[in-house]
Amino acid sequence: MTTTRWLAEYAWLPEHAEPTPDVLIEVEDGRITAVTPLLGAHGPDAGVEVYADSVALPGLTLPGLANVHSHAFHRALRGRTHGGRGDFWTWRDQMYGVADRLDPDTYLALARAVYAEMALAGVTCVGEFHYLHHRPGGGAYDDPNEMGAALVEAAAHAGIRLTLLDTCYLTSTVDGQALTGPQRRFGDGDATRWAQRAEAFQPTDSHVRVGAAVHSVRAVPADQLSTVAEWAGQRQAPLHVHLSEQPAENDECRAVHGRSPTGLLAEHGVLGPNTTAVHTTHPTSADLTVLADSGTGVCLCPTTERDLADGIGPARLMADAGIRLSLGSDSHAVVDLFEEARAVELDERLRTRRRGHFTPVDLVTAAGSAGHAALGWADAGRIAVGERADLVTVRLDSARTAGVPPVGAFFAASAADVTQVVVDGRLVVAEGRHLRVDVAAELSAAIEAVTLS
Ligand SMILES: [Zn+2]
C-alpha cells in the first residue's frame, strides 16, 4: 500500500477554533491514516519523522467541502435573468425553458462542467436534487433512469462524489393541480411509480449514493408524502425537501391543509435525523421547534436566496434550537462555498445590525462535516484518522488572502483561491486547474447548447 504524505502549512483540524500550523497528513487507499502536528515536535526526542517524500501544501488545507443542494442545469441561467424585475416565480419560468431543452447527452455535458467547476471551488461531494427524469412531455426514456445515470457519469468525470437525491415531483400546486408544459417531464404519475423507478436505479460506482427528495409541499400531495418518506427510511437514505422558500408556499399550505408546510411534513413522517430541509427561509417559531425535535437539518443556500429575492433564513435561531446547518449553491448563481458560508454570518449582521453570530469553526463545520453528513457520507468532512482523504488547499498569498490570518480565510477567500483538491485520496485539482476538464470551455459549450440567447 502506498502512503502519500502531505505537509500542510496550516490545516483546520476538527473541533479546533483555528487552523494548526505544520501538520503532516498521511493518506493510504483513500483514507487519512495519520494526522500529526509537527510544531514543537521536531528534534531527536520528539519521535516524529519528517519524511523526505512529503509534499508541501502551502496555505490553508481544509476538509472537503460539501455542496448539499444543487440543480446542475440551473447553472445555464447564470447572468441571464437579471434584465428585468420579477421574483422567484418569473425566474422559474426561465428555468423551465432550459429544462425543456435538455436530453441525456446535453445534461451529461452540462453537469460534468458544473461539477468540475465545483471541484475547482473545493467541493468534494455534491447533493443533486434531481427531478429531470423523463423526456419533454413526460414519456420515459428507454432506460427510465437515463438522466440520473448521466449525473452519475458527470460526477465521475469531474472527480467528486455524488448523492443523487431522486426527487418526487407530481403536482404543480399545493391543491394538486396537474403538471403542465415543461413540468411534465418531472413527473412519475404518483409516488408509487416514483418509488418503482427510484428502486430500479442502483448504481454500483463507489463515488455515488442514492437518496430521495420530496420536491416541496407544492409538488407531492399530502397523502403520498409517506410513500417517499418510507422509501428513504427503509434504506436509511438521505431525504431532502424544499421547505418554506416562499411565503406564498406557506399561505397556500395553510389554506389547503390548515397547517404550515413543516407541520404537514411532520404529520406524514417526512422529518427526522436523515432529513434535510432546504432553505427554510420563512418558518414560524413553532416550525423551528418541530424541526429541532425531529432532528431534521437545514441546508441554507444564501447566494441563491439573495439572487431570487427570497429573504433571509433565521440561521442563528435555527442553530440555537439545535438544528444542524449545511450549505448549498442551489441555482449556481455563484459556486463558492466560502461565499455561502460567510453569508450565513453576514446576513445575520444585516438583519440584526450586530456582528459575531457564528464563529469561523461553525462555518467550517457547516461547509464540511455537517454537509457531508446531510448527504449520507458520515465519514467525510474532517481531517482526522479514518476519514475519507478529502483535502482542499486554499492559498493565503493571493490579492484577496495576502495578510489574512488563516482563521480569517472564510471571510476573505474565494473559490478562485483553491489551489489543490484531493478527493478520496485522488488529486482532482492541482495549481488551480482541473486535471481532466477544461472547465471554462466546457461550461461555455454546454450552456450554448441549451440556451436560446
Ligand atoms: Zn432547490
Side-chain angles (χ1 to χ4, degrees):
M1 199 74 69
T2 317
T3 301
T4 309
R5 298 184 177 87
W6 305 101
L7 185 52
E9 184 183 4
Y10 293 92
W12 211 320
L13 305 180
E15 319 304 333
H16 283 54
E18 56 185 86
T20 301
D22 292 334
V23 179
L24 180 67
I25 303 164
E26 296 179 65
V27 172
E28 217 171 83
D29 199 22
R31 295 271 168 181
I32 297 171
T33 53
V35 178
T36 314
L38 299 181
L39 199 68
H42 298 284
D45 303 322
V48 175
E49 188 176 351
V50 180
Y51 297 90
D53 63 350
S54 58
V55 181
L57 295 174
L60 169 63
T61 295
L62 299 166
L65 308 180
N67 192 355
V68 173
H69 189 64
S70 163
H71 307 280
F73 76 94
H74 292 188
R75 173 65 177 82
L77 292 166
R78 186 187 293 177
R80 289 169 186 272
T81 63
H82 298 278
R85 295 171 69 86
D87 56 14
F88 170 86
W89 307 101
T90 50
W91 170 87
R92 194 179 68 156
D93 287 340
Q94 294 171 291
M95 181 267 284
Y96 285 164
V98 173
D100 214 21
R101 288 190 285 278
L102 285 160
D103 62 29
D105 291 337
T106 52
Y107 201 29
L108 168 60
L110 179 56
R112 165 183 152 105
V114 174
Y115 294 160
E117 180 187 359
M118 290 183 196
L120 282 181
V123 170
T124 54
C125 186
V126 60
E128 180 69 27
F129 200 99
H130 167 58
Y131 52 79
L132 270 176
H133 300 305
H134 302 297
R135 295 178 193 273
Y141 287 103
D142 296 342
D143 167 4
N145 287 304
E146 197 168 339
M147 293 292 264
L151 295 169
V152 170
E153 192 177 342
H157 287 170
I160 66 175
R161 290 191 301 276
L162 166 73
T163 296
L164 186 78
L165 299 159
D166 194 312
T167 303
C168 185
Y169 196 135
L170 304 172
T171 54
S172 65
T173 57
V174 176
D175 61 358
Q177 302 271 324
L179 300 178
T180 57
Q183 295 177 325
R184 290 169 65 197
R185 68 185 308 188
F186 309 161
D188 290 294
D190 59 38
T192 301
R193 276 180 278 170
W194 166 84
Q196 287 166 350
R197 184 186 48 70
E199 183 59 30
F201 189 51
Q202 298 189 353
T204 53
D205 318 61
S206 62
H207 74 289
V208 61
R209 276 185 191 163
V210 176
V214 167
H215 178 275
S216 59
V217 297
R218 297 194 304 278
V220 180
D223 63 359
Q224 299 188 53
L225 288 168
S226 63
T227 303
V228 184
E230 284 165 15
W231 188 93
Q234 285 161 5
R235 290 158 186 77
Q236 291 288 299
L239 174 60
H240 288 214
V241 54
H242 287 134
L243 180 62
S244 293
E245 182 176 6
Q246 296 294 323
E249 175 188 305
N250 292 352
D251 297 343
E252 286 162 24
C253 194
R254 284 192 185 284
V256 174
H257 298 294
R259 62 212 65 202
S260 71
T262 299
L264 190 69
L265 295 175
E267 186 177 305
H268 292 279
V270 175
L271 303 182
N274 290 329
T275 300
T276 297
V278 180
H279 302 302
T280 322
T281 310
H282 302 283
T284 64
S285 53
D287 290 338
L288 294 186
T289 303
V290 170
L291 292 169
D293 288 351
S294 64
T296 302
V298 166
C299 174
L300 303 168
C301 306
T303 67
T304 291
E305 289 147 10
R306 76 166 77 131
D307 185 66
L308 296 179
D310 285 345
I312 302 171
R316 189 62 250 172
L317 283 178
M318 294 192 221
D320 287 343
I323 295 170
R324 294 183 322 277
L325 300 180
S326 57
L327 300 167
S329 65
D330 188 7
S331 68
H332 313 313
V334 174
V335 172
D336 187 336
L337 270 288
F338 302 105
E339 181 64 29
E340 303 294 345
R342 63 180 162 257
V344 175
E345 164 67 19
L346 298 178
D347 288 354
E348 286 289 332
R349 293 184 189 179
L350 286 174
R351 189 216 317 271
T352 61
R353 289 184 287 154
R354 281 186 295 107
R355 311 175 85 227
H357 304 273
F358 291 91
T359 65
V361 77
D362 291 335
L363 306 184
V364 176
T365 302
S369 57
H372 279 94
L375 294 176
W377 305 84
D379 56 352
R382 298 168 356 119
I383 299 176
V385 172
E387 297 275 306
R388 289 172 177 273
D390 297 347
L391 302 171
V392 173
T393 303
V394 183
R395 61 190 296 180
L396 295 174
D397 62 353
S398 74
R400 289 164 295 277
T401 57
V404 173
V407 70
F410 267 80
F411 285 94
S414 81
D417 295 313
V418 172
T419 51
Q420 179 171 301
V421 179
V422 171
V423 183
D424 285 324
R426 291 190 308 276
L427 194 62
V428 175
V429 171
E431 297 178 359
R433 300 176 74 87
H434 199 286
L435 296 183
R436 293 175 67 179
V437 180
D438 183 341
V439 179
E442 291 203 16
L443 279 170
S444 183
I447 291 170
E448 193 181 332
V450 297
T451 49
L452 290 177
S453 58

